[in-house]
Amino acid sequence: MANVTFKGNAITLLGSEVKVGDTAPDFTVLANDLSPVTLADSKGQVRLISVVPSVDTGVCDAQTRRFNEEASNLGGAKVLTVSVDLPFAQKRWCGAAGIENVQTVSDHRELSFGKAYGVAIEELRLLTRAVFVIDSNDKVAYVEYVPEATDHPNYEAAIEAVKAAK
Protein backbone atom coordinates (compact mmCIF):
# COMPACT_ATOMS: atom_id res chain seq x y z
CA MET A 1 0.00 0.00 0.00
CA ALA A 2 1.09 3.59 -0.60
CA ASN A 3 2.96 5.10 2.35
CA VAL A 4 1.11 8.37 3.01
CA THR A 5 0.99 10.88 5.86
CA PHE A 6 -1.54 13.56 6.76
CA LYS A 7 -0.01 16.61 8.48
CA GLY A 8 3.06 14.47 9.19
CA ASN A 9 1.11 11.66 10.86
CA ALA A 10 0.96 8.15 9.42
CA ILE A 11 -2.50 7.18 8.14
CA THR A 12 -4.17 3.92 7.18
CA LEU A 13 -5.53 3.75 3.64
CA LEU A 14 -8.44 1.37 3.06
CA GLY A 15 -8.82 -0.65 -0.12
CA SER A 16 -6.35 -1.77 -2.74
CA GLU A 17 -3.53 0.27 -4.23
CA VAL A 18 -4.06 0.89 -7.94
CA LYS A 19 -1.08 0.56 -10.26
CA VAL A 20 -0.30 1.61 -13.83
CA GLY A 21 -1.50 -1.10 -16.20
CA ASP A 22 -4.35 -2.25 -13.95
CA THR A 23 -7.89 -2.29 -15.23
CA ALA A 24 -9.50 0.71 -13.55
CA PRO A 25 -11.87 -0.37 -10.78
CA ASP A 26 -15.48 0.72 -11.14
CA PHE A 27 -17.10 2.90 -8.49
CA THR A 28 -20.33 4.70 -7.73
CA VAL A 29 -20.21 8.27 -6.45
CA LEU A 30 -22.79 11.06 -6.43
CA ALA A 31 -23.02 14.05 -8.75
CA ASN A 32 -24.04 17.42 -7.33
CA ASP A 33 -27.69 16.61 -8.19
CA LEU A 34 -27.43 13.31 -6.23
CA SER A 35 -27.48 11.16 -9.38
CA PRO A 36 -25.03 8.23 -9.45
CA VAL A 37 -21.79 8.54 -11.43
CA THR A 38 -19.74 5.48 -12.37
CA LEU A 39 -16.56 4.86 -14.33
CA ALA A 40 -18.69 3.35 -17.10
CA ASP A 41 -20.49 6.69 -17.57
CA SER A 42 -17.39 8.01 -19.34
CA LYS A 43 -16.41 4.80 -21.13
CA GLY A 44 -14.35 5.42 -24.25
CA GLN A 45 -12.90 8.69 -22.90
CA VAL A 46 -9.59 9.44 -21.24
CA ARG A 47 -10.27 10.39 -17.60
CA LEU A 48 -8.24 12.43 -15.17
CA ILE A 49 -9.45 11.76 -11.64
CA SER A 50 -8.24 14.28 -9.09
CA VAL A 51 -8.78 13.15 -5.49
CA VAL A 52 -8.87 15.69 -2.66
CA PRO A 53 -9.68 15.56 1.07
CA SER A 54 -12.06 18.58 0.87
CA VAL A 55 -12.63 21.29 -1.74
CA ASP A 56 -12.97 23.79 1.13
CA THR A 57 -9.24 23.72 1.96
CA GLY A 58 -6.44 25.70 0.34
CA VAL A 59 -4.49 22.98 -1.47
CA CYS A 60 -7.66 21.16 -2.57
CA ASP A 61 -9.11 24.43 -3.85
CA ALA A 62 -5.90 25.15 -5.79
CA GLN A 63 -5.74 21.60 -7.18
CA THR A 64 -9.32 21.70 -8.43
CA ARG A 65 -8.86 25.17 -9.94
CA ARG A 66 -5.63 24.09 -11.68
CA PHE A 67 -7.23 21.04 -13.31
CA ASN A 68 -10.27 23.17 -14.21
CA GLU A 69 -7.93 25.59 -16.06
CA GLU A 70 -6.07 22.75 -17.78
CA ALA A 71 -9.20 20.79 -18.78
CA SER A 72 -9.84 22.77 -21.97
CA ASN A 73 -6.33 21.82 -23.21
CA LEU A 74 -6.79 18.10 -22.63
CA GLY A 75 -8.53 17.25 -25.89
CA GLY A 76 -11.89 16.23 -24.50
CA ALA A 77 -10.63 14.21 -21.55
CA LYS A 78 -13.16 13.92 -18.72
CA VAL A 79 -11.90 15.55 -15.51
CA LEU A 80 -13.43 14.51 -12.20
CA THR A 81 -12.64 15.76 -8.71
CA VAL A 82 -13.60 13.26 -6.02
CA SER A 83 -13.96 14.12 -2.32
CA VAL A 84 -16.22 13.13 0.56
CA ASP A 85 -17.71 16.63 0.71
CA LEU A 86 -21.49 16.54 0.48
CA PRO A 87 -22.82 17.11 -3.06
CA PHE A 88 -24.58 20.30 -1.89
CA ALA A 89 -21.30 21.74 -0.57
CA GLN A 90 -19.49 20.79 -3.79
CA LYS A 91 -22.16 22.51 -5.87
CA ARG A 92 -21.98 25.67 -3.75
CA TRP A 93 -18.17 25.69 -3.88
CA CYS A 94 -18.09 25.17 -7.67
CA GLY A 95 -20.51 28.05 -8.17
CA ALA A 96 -18.47 30.37 -5.97
CA ALA A 97 -15.17 29.28 -7.57
CA GLY A 98 -16.40 29.39 -11.19
CA ILE A 99 -15.56 25.73 -11.80
CA GLU A 100 -17.08 24.67 -15.12
CA ASN A 101 -14.65 22.21 -16.74
CA VAL A 102 -14.32 19.74 -13.85
CA GLN A 103 -17.14 17.59 -12.51
CA THR A 104 -17.05 17.33 -8.72
CA VAL A 105 -18.44 14.11 -7.33
CA SER A 106 -19.00 12.95 -3.76
CA ASP A 107 -17.87 9.67 -2.25
CA HIS A 108 -19.46 10.44 1.13
CA ARG A 109 -22.13 7.75 1.03
CA GLU A 110 -20.23 4.47 0.61
CA LEU A 111 -16.56 5.38 0.09
CA SER A 112 -16.95 3.33 -3.10
CA PHE A 113 -14.23 5.22 -4.95
CA GLY A 114 -12.01 5.55 -1.88
CA LYS A 115 -11.93 1.82 -1.21
CA ALA A 116 -11.69 0.81 -4.89
CA TYR A 117 -8.67 3.09 -5.43
CA GLY A 118 -7.05 2.73 -2.00
CA VAL A 119 -7.46 6.39 -1.00
CA ALA A 120 -9.95 6.21 1.92
CA ILE A 121 -8.29 7.39 5.14
CA GLU A 122 -9.53 5.11 7.92
CA GLU A 123 -8.76 7.51 10.78
CA LEU A 124 -10.45 10.57 9.23
CA ARG A 125 -13.08 9.22 6.81
CA LEU A 126 -11.61 11.51 4.17
CA LEU A 127 -9.83 10.69 0.92
CA THR A 128 -6.10 11.20 0.61
CA ARG A 129 -4.73 13.36 -2.18
CA ALA A 130 -4.11 11.39 -5.38
CA VAL A 131 -4.35 11.65 -9.16
CA PHE A 132 -5.29 8.87 -11.58
CA VAL A 133 -5.36 8.90 -15.37
CA ILE A 134 -7.46 6.22 -17.02
CA ASP A 135 -7.24 5.67 -20.77
CA SER A 136 -10.18 5.15 -23.12
CA ASN A 137 -9.84 1.36 -22.69
CA ASP A 138 -10.24 1.61 -18.89
CA LYS A 139 -6.54 0.91 -18.22
CA VAL A 140 -4.78 2.92 -15.54
CA ALA A 141 -2.17 5.05 -17.33
CA TYR A 142 -0.91 7.17 -14.40
CA VAL A 143 -1.05 7.00 -10.61
CA GLU A 144 0.14 9.43 -7.97
CA TYR A 145 -0.56 8.89 -4.30
CA VAL A 146 0.80 12.16 -2.90
CA PRO A 147 3.13 11.12 -0.03
CA GLU A 148 2.00 13.97 2.26
CA ALA A 149 -1.75 14.49 1.81
CA THR A 150 -1.49 18.22 2.45
CA ASP A 151 1.01 18.74 -0.43
CA HIS A 152 0.23 19.46 -4.09
CA PRO A 153 0.33 16.67 -6.67
CA ASN A 154 2.63 16.73 -9.69
CA TYR A 155 0.31 18.63 -12.03
CA GLU A 156 2.65 18.54 -15.02
CA ALA A 157 3.14 14.76 -14.86
CA ALA A 158 -0.63 14.18 -14.65
CA ILE A 159 -1.32 16.51 -17.60
CA GLU A 160 1.38 14.83 -19.69
CA ALA A 161 -0.11 11.42 -18.82
CA VAL A 162 -3.51 12.55 -20.11
CA LYS A 163 -1.98 13.74 -23.38
CA ALA A 164 -0.03 10.47 -23.74
CA ALA A 165 -3.16 8.39 -23.07
CA LYS A 166 -4.97 9.84 -26.08
Side-chain angles (χ1 to χ4, degrees):
M1 226 19 228
N3 201 5
V4 176
T5 58
F6 189 92
K7 295 185 177 181
N9 298 307
I11 55 175
T12 306
L13 298 178
L14 303 175
S16 300
E17 184 174 358
V18 174
K19 294 183 167 80
V20 171
D22 289 353
T23 297
D26 202 4
F27 55 84
T28 301
V29 291
L30 296 176
N32 293 169
D33 65 1
L34 302 180
S35 63
V37 175
T38 67
L39 182 67
D41 292 341
S42 56
K43 189 160 187 65
Q45 287 182 279
V46 173
R47 280 117 329 156
L48 184 151
I49 302 176
S50 171
V51 186
V52 299
S54 175
V55 293
D56 273 332
T57 63
V59 177
C60 301
D61 176 290
Q63 181 175 333
T64 305
R65 287 176 189 267
R66 173 72 185 268
F67 285 129
N68 184 66
E69 291 168 11
E70 297 286 351
S72 59
N73 300 323
L74 297 179
K78 176 84 172 168
V79 182
L80 296 172
T81 291
V82 183
S83 73
V84 294
D85 295 305
L86 294 175
F88 314 110
Q90 289 179 338
K91 183 176 182 178
R92 177 196 47 74
W93 181 86
C94 286
I99 302 298
E100 298 175 353
N101 301 318
V102 168
Q103 180 182 11
T104 55
V105 292
S106 176
D107 198 23
H108 85 93
R109 189 169 60 186
E110 299 171 13
L111 293 177
S112 170
F113 181 90
K115 291 176 181 174
Y117 285 74
V119 294
I121 302 172
E122 182 176 37
E123 295 84 352
L124 302 172
R125 203 174 195 288
L126 295 173
L127 303 181
T128 194
R129 189 172 319 283
V131 180
F132 302 92
V133 174
I134 300 166
D135 73 15
S136 58
N137 297 312
D138 293 341
K139 292 292 181 191
V140 178
Y142 175 84
V143 173
E144 180 186 10
Y145 291 92
V146 179
E148 167 52 52
T150 59
D151 289 345
H152 288 271
N154 186 336
Y155 299 109
E156 291 75 20
I159 292 162
E160 287 306 312
V162 171
K163 292 176 181 175
K166 294 243 160 235

